[in-house]
Coordinates of all heavy atoms in Angstrom, one line a residue:
G288 N -0.4 13.1 25.0 CA -1.7 13.3 25.6 C -2.2 14.7 25.6 O -3.4 15.0 25.9
L289 N -1.4 15.7 25.2 CA -1.8 17.1 25.1 C -2.5 17.4 23.7 O -2.3 16.8 22.8 CB -0.6 18.0 25.3 CG 0.2 17.9 26.5 CD1 1.3 19.0 26.5 CD2 -0.7 18.0 27.8
N290 N -3.5 18.2 23.8 CA -4.2 18.7 22.6 C -3.2 19.6 21.8 O -2.6 20.5 22.3 CB -5.4 19.5 23.0 CG -6.2 19.9 21.7 OD1 -5.8 21.0 21.2 ND2 -7.1 19.2 21.4
K291 N -3.1 19.3 20.5 CA -2.1 20.0 19.6 C -2.5 21.5 19.6 O -1.5 22.3 19.6 CB -2.1 19.3 18.3 CG -1.5 17.9 18.3 CD -1.6 17.3 16.9 CE -1.1 15.9 17.0 NZ -1.3 15.2 15.7
Q292 N -3.7 21.9 19.4 CA -4.0 23.2 19.3 C -3.8 24.0 20.6 O -3.2 25.1 20.6 CB -5.5 23.4 18.9 CG -5.9 24.9 18.7 CD -5.1 25.6 17.6 OE1 -4.9 25.1 16.5 NE2 -4.5 26.7 18.0
E293 N -4.1 23.4 21.8 CA -4.0 24.0 23.0 C -2.4 24.2 23.3 O -2.1 25.1 24.0 CB -4.6 23.2 24.1 CG -6.2 23.2 24.0 CD -6.9 22.3 25.0 OE1 -6.1 21.6 25.8 OE2 -8.1 22.2 25.1
T294 N -1.7 23.2 23.0 CA -0.2 23.2 23.2 C 0.4 24.4 22.3 O 1.3 25.1 22.8 CB 0.4 21.9 22.7 OG1 -0.2 20.8 23.4 CG2 2.0 21.9 23.1
A295 N -0.1 24.5 21.1 CA 0.4 25.6 20.3 C 0.0 27.0 20.9 O 0.7 28.0 20.9 CB -0.2 25.5 18.8
D296 N -1.2 27.1 21.4 CA -1.7 28.3 22.1 C -0.8 28.5 23.3 O -0.5 29.8 23.6 CB -3.1 28.1 22.5 CG -4.1 28.1 21.3 OD1 -3.7 28.5 20.2 OD2 -5.2 27.6 21.4
K297 N -0.4 27.6 24.0 CA 0.4 27.8 25.3 C 1.9 28.1 25.0 O 2.4 29.1 25.6 CB 0.3 26.5 26.1 CG 1.0 26.6 27.4 CD 0.9 25.3 28.2 CE 1.7 25.4 29.5 NZ 1.5 24.1 30.3
F298 N 2.5 27.3 24.0 CA 3.9 27.5 23.8 C 4.2 28.4 22.6 O 5.4 28.7 22.4 CB 4.6 26.1 23.7 CG 4.6 25.4 25.0 CD1 3.7 24.3 25.2 CD2 5.5 25.6 26.0 CE1 3.6 23.6 26.4 CE2 5.5 24.8 27.1 CZ 4.5 23.9 27.4
G299 N 3.2 28.6 21.8 CA 3.4 29.3 20.6 C 3.6 28.4 19.4 O 4.1 27.3 19.4
H300 N 2.9 28.8 18.3 CA 2.9 28.1 17.1 C 4.3 27.7 16.5 O 4.6 26.6 16.1 CB 2.1 28.6 16.1 CG 0.5 28.6 16.3 ND1 -0.3 27.6 15.9 CD2 -0.2 29.5 17.0 CE1 -1.6 27.9 16.4 NE2 -1.5 29.0 17.0
E301 N 5.2 28.6 16.6 CA 6.4 28.5 16.1 C 7.3 27.4 16.8 O 7.9 26.6 16.3 CB 7.3 29.8 16.1 CG 6.8 30.8 15.0 CD 7.6 32.0 14.8 OE1 8.8 32.0 15.6 OE2 7.2 32.9 14.3
K302 N 7.2 27.4 18.2 CA 7.9 26.5 19.0 C 7.3 25.1 18.8 O 8.1 24.1 18.7 CB 7.8 26.9 20.5 CG 8.3 25.8 21.5 CD 9.8 25.5 21.2 CE 10.6 26.8 21.5 NZ 12.2 26.5 21.3
V303 N 6.0 24.9 18.7 CA 5.4 23.6 18.5 C 5.8 23.1 17.1 O 6.0 21.9 16.9 CB 3.9 23.7 18.8 CG1 3.2 22.3 18.4 CG2 3.6 24.0 20.2
H304 N 5.8 24.0 16.1 CA 6.0 23.6 14.8 C 7.5 23.1 14.8 O 7.9 22.1 14.1 CB 5.9 24.8 13.8 CG 6.2 24.4 12.4 ND1 5.4 23.7 11.6 CD2 7.4 24.7 11.7 CE1 5.9 23.5 10.4 NE2 7.1 24.1 10.5

Side-chain angles (χ1 to χ4, degrees):
L289 301 184
N290 180 277
K291 294 176 182 178
Q292 183 58 51
E293 293 174 359
T294 304
D296 293 341
K297 180 178 179 180
F298 295 99
H300 288 270
E301 289 187 8
K302 175 56 69 175
V303 173
H304 181 78

